[in-house]
Amino acid sequence: MADAVGSICAALDPLRRLVEAHVLAAERLHGDDTTVPVLAKGKTDTGRCWVYVRDDAPFGGAGPPAAMFYYSRDRRGEHPQGHLANWSGILQADAYDGYGKLYLPGREPGAICEAACWVHARRPFFAMADIDENARRKAAGKKEIPLSPIAIEIVRRIDALFAIERSINGKSAKERLAVRQASSRPLVDALENYLREQLAKLSRGHDLAKAIHYMLKRWPAFTLFLEDGRVCLSNNAAERGLRGIALGRKSWLFCGSDRGGQRAAAMYSLIVSAKMNGVDPQAWLADVLARIAAHPAHRLDELLPWNWRASAPRASALAA
């Protein structure tokens, strides 16, 4: 079975490289990674699977969505630095230190601007503000979680920003920026003042202080969306891309080798890109594998998920 997947990866590698070129042509990328167990002698090592997602739909872009996955044996920063060595633009990601060199001024071939994820920042506050969870615990006779009025207020303010974002999703970058300047900027400025006021009252080791400090330390990255209409508030696109791996780990348990991890990353790139374009991955793979050997090399882009049209016999069989 592993050899069969390897053969498929080899046959589809030209398409994988076209997907990679399309993803890395984006003005803005979502980046994230997750753990992948890799078989080792008497145990498993913890490898990583990295994803970079192109999704221009939120700012009205015409480029088809796609995802590119890479595998590595560890989580050293050299991996994302290598993946994006020839790319410049806006990177929406978490605060992983390995991305740090990508944001350095004067970087070649061009600057990468950091855009922080408001969903990621909201989580620790929400854990101390989950009124609904307390109601469920109370109904079940369980001990309630101590709630923080400060956390509840911060969550309320962040949710107000997301409400504005929902109203401008899919509009052009220019339209999004105009609304943000008029409606979101006053809320963000007020939130910053509130965070600084509360931080001054809290002990350094308090969980709230840590969560507030996380945001204020990266405030330019959190507020980049006020300067550029292409930026999203969240990195949910990358997290959605990794969802299949998180679920798959329960079934396939581990990669058998580094080569297996690389093959998995290649297949995830193709399958997730197909799903992002509303294409049935199984139907697409079956049709493309039957056609690719005889397909003209200069027309390979016709087989990409967003350009694909099933061959006539295949389409008839599926219709039946």
Side-chain angles (χ1 to χ4, degrees):
M1 187 180 294
D3 287 343
V5 173
S7 298
I8 290 171
C9 288
L12 297 179
D13 190 62
L15 287 181
R16 184 200 65 82
R17 284 187 273 113
L18 287 178
V19 170
E20 181 180 45
H22 174 72
V23 169
L24 295 180
E27 300 172 347
R28 186 205 64 183
L29 289 177
H30 293 268
D32 205 352
D33 67 283
T34 190
T35 58
V36 178
V38 187
L39 188 63
K41 190 174 182 178
K43 60 174 185 176
T44 58
D45 290 337
T46 302
R48 309 296 298 195
C49 202
W50 310 78
V51 67
Y52 301 96
V53 173
R54 175 175 182 171
D55 185 3
D56 301 340
F59 60 91
M68 194 65 208
F69 289 76
Y70 299 97
Y71 163 84
S72 67
R73 190 75 176 200
D74 52 56
R75 203 193 184 206
R76 292 201 300 267
E78 65 190 50
H79 301 300
Q81 292 158 25
H83 303 154
L84 303 178
N86 298 314
W87 181 79
S88 60
I90 300 165
L91 179 61
Q92 306 228 208
D94 61 23
Y96 168 52
D97 290 340
Y99 296 129
K101 290 186 178 180
L102 295 172
Y103 307 136
L104 292 176
R107 172 188 176 271
E108 294 293 340
I112 290 182
C113 298
E114 178 186 8
C117 176
W118 283 81
V119 168
H120 190 84
R122 179 182 179 273
R123 285 172 188 159
F125 297 114
F126 185 76
M128 295 177 270
D130 195 345
I131 297 173
D132 291 339
E133 174 62 21
N134 257 2
R136 288 190 292 269
R137 295 178 72 89
K138 185 176 181 180
K142 298 180 180 179
K143 184 179 179 181
E144 296 181 38
I145 303 168
L147 300 182
S148 164
I150 296 174
I152 292 172
E153 176 62 17
I154 293 172
V155 168
R156 184 191 68 78
R157 291 174 183 243
I158 293 176
D159 287 351
L161 292 174
F162 276 100
I164 295 171
E165 289 301 304
R166 284 191 288 273
S167 71
I168 58 175
N169 188 45
K171 295 188 177 181
S172 71
K174 185 177 180 180
E175 291 176 294
R176 283 156 63 92
L177 184 58
V179 172
R180 287 169 173 176
Q181 290 284 350
S183 302
S184 300
R185 182 173 286 281
L187 299 183
V188 171
D189 291 342
L191 174 60
E192 181 184 10
N193 291 334
Y194 183 77
L195 291 174
R196 295 191 183 281
E197 289 172 4
Q198 302 310 314
L199 184 62
K201 302 174 186 178
L202 297 167
S203 64
R204 182 175 298 181
H206 196 287
D207 288 343
L208 266 176
K210 294 176 182 177
I212 292 173
H213 183 69
Y214 172 87
M215 291 191 70
L216 293 179
K217 184 179 178 181
R218 301 166 180 84
W219 199 244
F222 278 106
T223 56
L224 183 64
F225 80 101
L226 297 174
E227 311 297 335
D228 194 319
R230 295 169 296 174
V231 178
C232 284
L233 254 67
S234 80
N235 197 33
N236 286 348
E239 294 193 5
R240 286 194 295 270
L242 290 172
R243 186 175 298 163
I245 296 178
L247 295 173
R249 283 192 299 250
K250 299 177 181 178
S251 301
W252 45 256
L253 301 180
F254 51 78
C255 295
S257 65
D258 288 339
R259 185 170 58 178
Q262 292 158 3
R263 289 172 175 174
M267 293 307 298
Y268 274 119
S269 298
L270 298 172
I271 291 170
V272 172
S273 294
K275 292 173 71 174
M276 290 178 71
N277 286 276
V279 173
D280 178 356
Q282 184 176 3
W284 175 73
L285 282 170
D287 185 65
V288 168
L289 285 169
R291 294 164 58 186
I292 194 167
H295 197 83
H298 68 282
R299 288 168 43 200
L300 269 178
D301 61 317
E302 295 175 359
L303 301 182
L304 290 168
W306 50 90
N307 295 329
W308 173 71
R309 295 293 182 273
S311 56
R314 190 73 183 171
S316 300
L318 290 173

